[in-house]
Amino acid sequence: MTSFLIRGRPRRATAHIRVRVTHAVVGALVGAGWLVLPVMTVGAHDPVPVSAAGPVASAAAPDQDETSATDLLLPLVVVGAAGALAGYGYLRRTRRARTRTTPGVVSAAPPVPTSLENDRQARAALVLADDCVRGSREELPFVQELFGAGGVEPFVHALRAAETELSAAFAIWRRYEEGVPGDESARRQALVGVVGRCAEAGRRLDAEAEELDRLRGLEQGVGEALEVAEGRFRELTARTAAAQATAEELHRRYAPSAGAPVTGYLEQAKDRLLFTTSQLNESRQAADSGDGRRAARHLRAAEGGVAQAGVLVGGVERLAAELREAAGLVPAALTGGEAEIAEARRAGGRTSLAAGELHARLAHADGVLAAVRTELTGGPYDPLDALRRIARAVERLEVGRSGVVEAAALLVARSAVGGAEDFVAVHRGAVGAQARARLAEAERALGSGAGGSAQADAQAGQARDLAERDVRAHGNPYADTNGHVAGLPGAVLGGILLAEDPDAGPPASYGGPRTRGRRHLR
């Protein structure tokens, strides 16, 4: 079998080898000819002058013997030197070929990526595919408002297909993190599957991006699309003012932990609206000057700002509604929890728990319910946290949960998943794969029906913690906004702008990795 070094050797290196071999052969032939020459001379019949007899003649005889020996020895030395040089050249060339790292020698078998490299590639693919899905999801509502549900159906279909592929990729990743499969080769293949699914998700979106651009026709004129964005901006500005009063009510009515998930959201919403204001103005000015490409870019950035401001304001509004619903459900959940505790005591030995373990869990559940009752009469409390503690205490009894306790657990899980989703959506420029994977698992568990609410709540809590850690570690590369547009740091943090250029790059648009940043200024 041919060595990979020989197979991969370039023609230039092969030519050098041929030259060296030719030199060695020529040297050997010359040396051989020199060896044969004295023999040919001895056998010749040419006349030789007769020397005079006497001392002079006898003295010349030794000189003739010495000359003959020299004639025989010198060719041997030359041949030996030529052979030594050829051997040294061969050994040096072989050693250099084995250790060469320059592009002169290309291995036919590329190096196998390490597990760490495969892992890093899979994480990057998950983040990129998730960003593409989220950016595409943000643009479609603006298109639908102009062209209706029928007009955007192909793009919605592609987005759903991309979401399915991404969900499958996250599922493979989840099993990989759990150690399944265990074989190293199979684990490498699992990571290949993650990357492949993510690539397919991006391909689905890339395939429809050009058609979406033709439908919108922004570079030919942004008139109607700009009016839609400005209308949403005005509506959202009014909602932000109302949400400010809602947030203040949360702080007065409930414990500080109740409003903690949306702390700072309204300030961020105002920042996104400030960014949107500058982008809308830029888009209109560009349109008035006939620069359609620039107008489209700034309009798309403005749409992203409106979308994320809506997520932030909507998060405050949704949490307020969930807290009101939770507060109304707490008394019924307490009653349902007491019924479950009584059932566990009657079941006794019929449960899978040992007597001592069951007794400890019953005591814990009694204590939780008593603490919640005290909070109800002791001042502001956190209704969602109260329902969470009731549901978890009852679940540990392993006797099943009554309808009201299960409803309480489902409300808690929906709130946790929604809060984590909002946070990732408006900070996706900094959030990594691990937090996104936990969020995907929480959404899967929430959609699995009864019994999945506890897992959904736990996974959503982990996702939120990991995402907040990523944001803290990310920092803010655009903290100094001197000379930059208003709201630029928040737009980069939120993934509205892709941060590919010193000016923060193009806005994220509907599409996959190949097309999502297509609205560059050129």
Side-chain angles (χ1 to χ4, degrees):
M1 182 179 293
T2 306
S3 168
F4 74 89
L5 287 174
I6 296 175
R7 288 198 305 268
R9 189 182 301 279
R11 294 181 178 178
R12 182 179 178 183
T14 304
H16 287 180
I17 293 172
R18 286 198 294 267
V19 170
R20 290 176 180 177
V21 171
T22 302
H23 287 172
V25 171
V26 171
L29 291 175
V30 171
W34 205 339
L35 280 173
V36 174
L37 183 60
V39 177
M40 295 173 61
T41 304
V42 170
H45 296 287
D46 293 338
V48 179
V50 177
S51 302
V56 176
S58 62
D63 290 341
Q64 289 176 356
D65 293 340
E66 289 176 8
T67 302
S68 300
T70 303
D71 289 342
L72 292 174
L73 182 60
L74 186 58
L76 290 174
V77 172
V78 172
V79 171
L85 288 173
Y88 172 76
Y90 173 79
L91 291 175
R92 184 183 178 195
R93 173 173 49 79
T94 303
R95 188 181 300 113
R96 186 167 54 195
R98 288 174 179 170
T99 60
R100 176 176 283 176
T101 58
T102 61
V105 176
V106 180
S107 172
V112 177
T114 65
S115 298
L116 183 61
E117 291 169 341
N118 286 331
D119 185 281
R120 189 182 299 114
Q121 184 181 12
R123 289 173 184 269
L126 286 169
V127 170
L128 178 57
D130 193 48
D131 279 349
C132 290
V133 166
R134 291 178 181 277
S136 299
R137 194 184 293 152
E138 283 182 355
E139 182 171 1
L140 276 185
F142 295 93
V143 185
Q144 183 171 342
E145 188 159 339
L146 276 178
F147 300 98
V152 299
E153 184 176 356
F155 314 112
V156 173
H157 178 75
L159 177 59
R160 295 292 176 264
E163 290 171 343
T164 300
E165 294 291 341
L166 180 60
S167 178
F170 275 123
I172 298 172
W173 177 260
R174 172 176 56 84
R175 291 193 295 272
Y176 174 84
E177 283 191 314
E178 294 172 350
V180 180
D183 178 70
E184 186 61 30
S185 176
R187 288 178 68 77
R188 283 197 300 269
Q189 289 304 312
L191 293 179
V192 170
V194 170
V195 174
R197 290 282 192 170
C198 291
E200 179 61 16
R203 188 195 67 78
R204 294 286 189 126
L205 296 171
D206 279 331
E208 299 296 335
E210 185 176 352
E211 184 60 33
L212 182 74
D213 285 349
R214 276 198 294 266
L215 177 67
R216 299 200 73 180
L218 294 181
E219 294 187 7
Q220 286 71 47
V222 297
E224 292 183 337
L226 186 58
E227 291 177 3
V228 168
E230 289 174 337
R232 289 203 173 194
F233 171 79
R234 289 190 293 269
E235 174 191 353
L236 198 52
T237 301
R239 281 177 58 196
T240 302
Q244 187 69 53
T246 301
E248 292 171 0
E249 176 66 18
L250 293 181
H251 289 296
R252 285 196 304 268
R253 187 172 180 179
Y254 303 110
S257 62
V262 295
T263 299
Y265 271 28
L266 293 181
E267 288 72 18
Q268 293 184 57
K270 293 174 183 177
D271 183 72
R272 298 294 197 279
L273 291 175
L274 187 63
F275 171 78
T276 302
T277 300
S278 67
Q279 297 302 304
L280 289 173
N281 290 337
E282 290 283 353
S283 181
R284 186 165 291 282
Q285 292 172 11
D288 291 343
S289 65
D291 190 344
R293 188 183 297 274
R294 184 164 171 265
R297 171 192 167 116
H298 288 294
L299 173 62
R300 180 64 206 111
E303 290 174 345
V306 168
Q308 290 203 4
V311 170
L312 291 161
V313 173
V316 175
E317 296 169 340
R318 190 191 65 252
L319 179 61
E322 290 167 346
L323 286 169
R324 286 193 298 270
E325 184 179 356
L329 194 56
V330 167
L334 285 169
T335 302
E338 290 172 346
E340 295 299 323
I341 292 173
E343 175 63 25
R345 285 197 172 95
R346 286 194 299 271
R350 296 195 301 273
T351 68
S352 61
L353 299 173
E357 180 65 19
L358 176 61
H359 178 75
R361 294 188 182 189
L362 284 169
H364 172 74
D366 283 333
V368 169
L369 266 60
V372 172
R373 288 191 181 279
T374 301
E375 291 172 5
L376 285 177
T377 59
Y381 73 107
D382 184 345
L384 284 168
D385 182 63
L387 290 180
R388 177 179 287 112
R389 286 182 287 149
I390 293 171
R392 289 181 177 177
V394 170
E395 183 182 33
R396 295 181 71 242
L397 301 178
E398 298 186 2
V399 293
R401 292 189 297 211
S402 65
V404 65
V405 176
E406 183 60 37
L410 186 59
L411 173 60
V412 169
R414 282 204 316 267
S415 179
V417 172
E421 167 62 31
D422 289 348
F423 188 87
V424 171
V426 298
H427 298 90
R428 66 174 184 260
V431 177
Q434 195 173 3
R436 298 177 194 237
R438 293 291 186 278
L439 177 57
E441 176 60 17
E443 292 172 339
R444 185 204 62 79
L446 185 62
S448 65
S453 53
Q455 183 184 3
D457 180 37
Q459 293 287 340
Q462 292 178 23
R464 178 68 181 259
D465 291 342
L466 290 168
E468 290 179 351
R469 184 193 67 183
D470 288 343
V471 171
R472 289 193 298 269
H474 180 265
N476 182 12
Y478 294 90
D480 181 9
T481 58
N482 293 333
H484 292 296
V485 298
L488 179 65
V492 173
L493 183 62
I496 299 171
L497 300 179
L498 297 181
E500 296 176 355
D501 302 321
D503 67 345
S509 300
Y510 182 103
R514 183 174 58 83
T515 58
R516 69 177 185 138
R518 61 190 178 276
R519 293 188 174 111
H520 277 279
L521 281 180
R522 297 183 179 88

